[in-house]
Amino acid sequence: MTEPSLLAREARFADPDAAYRLLAEAHRDLDERESAALNARLVLILANQIGDLAVLREAVALARQAR
């Protein structure tokens, strides 16, 4: 039996397309290095917002298997 997921797997944005556009727009006019740095800062900010190591661990595992 698998453990229950700690992550919300369903869409949680009222307008997912707007959320996607916001993230895409944040990268406009950035070169590859600047874009990677923005992503790194955003990951750290959102990881802190989560504030739960078990949830973060599950998110990292899910992101790694999506390669």
Side-chain angles (χ1 to χ4, degrees):
M1 188 158 127
T2 58
E3 292 184 35
S5 178
L6 299 171
L7 288 174
R9 302 286 179 111
E10 70 284 344
R12 295 180 64 182
F13 285 102
D15 186 351
D17 290 336
Y20 178 83
R21 283 190 303 273
L22 175 69
L23 291 171
E25 182 64 28
H27 291 269
R28 180 182 287 203
D29 300 324
L30 299 181
D31 63 26
E32 189 173 340
R33 182 187 58 76
E34 292 167 328
S35 182
L38 172 64
N39 281 337
R41 289 190 303 272
L42 186 57
V43 164
L44 292 174
I45 291 165
L46 294 175
N48 185 63
Q49 180 65 30
I50 291 169
D52 183 317
L53 191 55
V55 174
L56 183 59
R57 187 175 288 116
E58 187 178 335
V60 167
L62 181 62
R64 285 191 57 89
Q65 61 181 253
R67 302 201 274 155

